[in-house]
């Protein structure tokens, strides 16, 4: 036994001696010692992402080592979710790093290996459902909450007005004028829905029962597009080609007001918190304000050629708007001060925007194929849509406490269930 121990000691001594011999693995007689590389940092992917409740997300962990190399540690790391009531994560072989979203909230996802931890936030805040419109290729556009507890929307290509219940049942009503190209829609103070007919140069009114009446705009080829109920008991609308803001009484009497900037291409319009109407100017790159008496003031957007589209009054007493080309969400005080918030997704092309019942603003990303949420402090969260290339357009808060939007390319109406 003693002899065996001596043999082992000798073998180890020889091995060590060989490792430190001058010229064997070291230059100019400098001894060489082998040190195993250690993990320096771990990065997770995706980072700071958002998903709907019930969705699954595969996370990966990439380790950076002290010798400058990197290695995928997804199957080797120990995964953890700081809030399992929001999302759980798997450590089982074959599903390491796979997250299942449970309920609304935020949790911190982490991966640990070699005493080093990498982490990122996961937000679970919405459940998205989509409902197919019966008419194929209808091209849904504007959408609004109706006085009957349903959502009402325009169908540009099928020339109809649609109604969808909170449960998703769709009914369609044909517009008398063919090829009218209905665009914007809003609930009126008279218990009816009012909409613009871009191609036929009319303002339409539809009762909750589906009876349609049309009113011709005095300026020919004015191309009415956006519409909103005003604080004065009338409906106000934009004339894209006429370069005017129109006012129509519930009885159908129309008055028009010229916008100072030539070819401004006014688009969307909304009632502001100050008793005025506010509208976007696509080509003018401005936000306009018009008083009930028809006095117009314009405010320039800092980002040039931003192409503002949707606009809505926020819960903070400001106006919020979407910059299609600027890829930003803008905030405008009633005094005219503009602040812009860049969106995380490049070229997402934000389009419609609406105030939500949760105290945030919700908007569509027409090219990003997502629904975005922005807090009044400017923090943005994005939720990918189930249907690829759906082209989400306009958006509104529904009477059911959720967010509803149109998907023009997918021919669907979408609903975001807000999880509190």
């Amino acid at each position: 036994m003693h002899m065996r121990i001596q043999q082992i000691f000798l073998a180890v001594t020889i091995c060590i001696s060989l490792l430190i011999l001058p010229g064997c693995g070291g230059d100019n007689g400098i001894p060489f010692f082998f040190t195993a590389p250690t993990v320096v940092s771990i990065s997770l992917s995706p980072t700071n992402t958002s998903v709907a409740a019930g969705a699954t997300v595969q996370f990966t962990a990439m380790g950076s080592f002290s010798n400058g190399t990197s290695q995928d540690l997804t199957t080797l790391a120990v995964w953890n979710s700081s809030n399992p009531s929001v999302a759980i994560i798997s450590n089982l072989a074959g599903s390491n790093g796979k997250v299942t979203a449970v309920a609304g909230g935020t949790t911190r996802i982490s991966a640990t290996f070699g005493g080093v931890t990498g982490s990122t936030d996961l937000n679970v805040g919405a459940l998205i459902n989509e409902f197919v419109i019966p008419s194929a290729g209808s091209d849904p556009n504007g959408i609004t909450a109706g006085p009957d507890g349903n959502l009402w929307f325009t169908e540009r290509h099928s020339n109809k007005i649609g109604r969808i219940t909170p449960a998703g049942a769709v009914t369609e009503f044909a517009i008398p004028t063919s090829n009218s190209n209905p665009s914007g829609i809003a609930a009126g103070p008279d218990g009816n829905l009012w909409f613009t007919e871009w191609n036929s140069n009319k303002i339409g009114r539809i009762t909750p029962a589906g009876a349609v009446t049309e009113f011709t705009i005095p300026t020919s080829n004015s191309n009415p597009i956006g519409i909103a109920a005003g604080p004065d008991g009338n409906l106000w609308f934009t004339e894209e080609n006429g370069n005017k803001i129109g006012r129509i009484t519930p009885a159908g009497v129309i008055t028009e007001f010229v916008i100072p900037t030539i070819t401004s291409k006014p688009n969307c319009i909304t009632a502001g918190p100050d008793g005025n109407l506010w509208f976007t100017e696509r080509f003018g790159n401005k936000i306009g304000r018009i008083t009930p008496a028809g006095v117009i003031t314009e405010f320039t957007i800092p980002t040039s050629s931003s192409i503002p589209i949707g606009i809505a009054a926020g819960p903070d007493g400001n106006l919020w708007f979407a910059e299609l080309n600027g890829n930003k969400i803008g905030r405008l005080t009633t005094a005219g001060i503009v602040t812009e918030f860049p969106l995380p997704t490049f070229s997402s092309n934000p389009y419609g925007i609406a105030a939500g019942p949760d105290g945030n603003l919700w908007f569509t990303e027409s090219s990003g194929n997502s629904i975005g949420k922005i807090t009044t402090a400017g923090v943005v969260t994005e939720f990918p849509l189930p249907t690829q290339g759906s082209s989400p357009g306009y958006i509104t808060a529904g009477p059911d406490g959720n967010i509803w939007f149109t998907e023009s390319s997918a021919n669907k109406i979408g609903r975001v269930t807000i999880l509190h």
Side-chain angles (χ1 to χ4, degrees):
M1 180 68 177
H2 181 71
M3 180 63 70
R4 177 61 177 164
I5 293 174
Q6 284 182 324
Q7 290 173 336
I8 294 173
F9 178 80
L10 179 60
V12 171
T13 302
I14 292 171
C15 289
I16 293 174
S17 299
L18 289 172
L19 285 173
I20 63 175
L21 280 176
C24 297
D27 295 332
N28 300 321
I30 299 174
F32 170 79
F33 295 94
F34 174 76
T35 303
T38 57
V39 63
V40 175
S41 63
I42 297 175
S43 59
L44 304 189
S45 180
T47 59
N48 300 320
T49 192
S50 300
V51 295
T56 59
V57 183
Q58 178 61 58
F59 280 84
T60 59
M62 186 62 68
S64 296
F65 286 79
S66 56
N67 63 352
T69 63
S70 60
Q71 180 183 347
D72 189 340
L73 302 176
T74 303
T75 60
L76 302 175
V78 176
W79 293 89
N80 182 63
S81 170
S82 65
N83 192 346
S85 64
V86 172
I88 56 176
I89 191 162
S90 175
N91 279 294
L92 298 177
S95 62
N96 305 73
K98 187 175 184 178
V99 164
T100 299
V102 178
T106 300
T107 184
R108 191 123 184 112
I109 300 298
S110 63
T112 301
F113 179 82
V116 177
T117 299
S119 61
T120 186
D121 285 335
L122 173 69
N123 183 69
V124 181
L127 174 64
I128 297 175
N129 298 99
E130 297 170 304
F131 306 94
V132 177
I133 298 169
S135 294
S138 70
D139 191 16
N141 189 250
I143 188 167
T144 192
D148 57 348
N150 298 310
L151 284 299
W152 291 75
F153 58 94
T154 58
E155 300 179 19
R156 289 189 295 188
H157 289 173
S158 60
N159 202 54
K160 298 175 182 177
I161 299 298
R163 180 184 67 202
I164 184 169
T165 68
V170 178
T171 306
E172 298 170 294
F173 304 94
I175 297 171
T177 300
S178 61
N179 193 33
S180 69
N181 199 343
S183 296
I185 188 168
D190 57 348
N192 298 312
L193 285 303
W194 292 74
F195 58 95
T196 57
E197 298 182 24
W198 190 88
N199 203 44
S200 63
N201 204 54
K202 297 176 181 178
I203 300 297
R205 180 185 65 202
I206 184 170
T207 68
V212 177
T213 306
E214 298 170 296
F215 305 92
T216 300
I217 297 171
T219 299
S220 61
N221 300 315
S222 69
N223 297 141
I225 185 165
I227 191 168
D232 57 348
N234 298 311
L235 282 301
W236 292 73
F237 59 93
T238 57
E239 298 180 21
E240 188 177 48
N241 194 50
N243 203 52
K244 299 175 182 178
I245 299 299
R247 181 184 64 203
I248 183 170
T249 68
V253 179
I254 295 175
T255 307
E256 298 169 293
F257 305 92
V258 177
I259 297 171
T261 299
I262 299 172
T263 63
S264 68
K265 294 290 183 182
N267 197 274
C268 291
I269 188 168
T270 191
D274 57 348
N276 298 310
L277 283 300
W278 294 75
F279 57 93
T280 55
E281 299 181 20
R282 279 198 308 134
F283 286 7
N285 201 51
K286 299 174 182 178
I287 302 298
R289 179 186 66 202
I290 183 169
T291 69
V295 178
I296 295 176
T297 307
E298 297 170 297
F299 304 93
T300 301
I301 298 170
T303 300
S304 61
S305 302
S306 67
I307 309 184
I309 302 292
I311 187 168
D316 57 348
N318 296 312
L319 285 303
W320 291 75
F321 57 94
E323 298 180 24
L324 181 72
N325 194 51
N327 204 51
K328 300 174 182 177
I329 297 299
R331 181 183 65 203
L332 175 72
T333 69
T334 53
I337 300 173
V338 178
T339 306
E340 297 170 294
F341 303 94
L343 298 183
T345 300
F346 179 73
S347 294
S348 67
N349 298 131
Y351 203 83
I353 190 167
D358 57 347
N360 299 307
L361 283 299
W362 292 75
F363 59 93
T364 58
E365 297 184 8
S366 58
S367 294
N369 204 59
S370 299
I371 298 300
K373 177 182 71 175
I374 184 169
T375 68
T376 52
V379 179
V380 176
T381 308
E382 298 169 300
F383 304 94
L385 296 180
T387 301
Q388 294 298 310
S390 67
S391 301
Y394 289 107
I395 190 167
T396 190
D400 58 347
N402 296 314
I403 298 295
W404 293 76
F405 56 95
T406 55
E407 300 179 44
S408 61
S409 295
N411 199 49
K412 298 176 180 178
I413 299 298
R415 180 185 66 204
V416 180
T417 300
I418 298 178
L419 304 175
H420 300 283

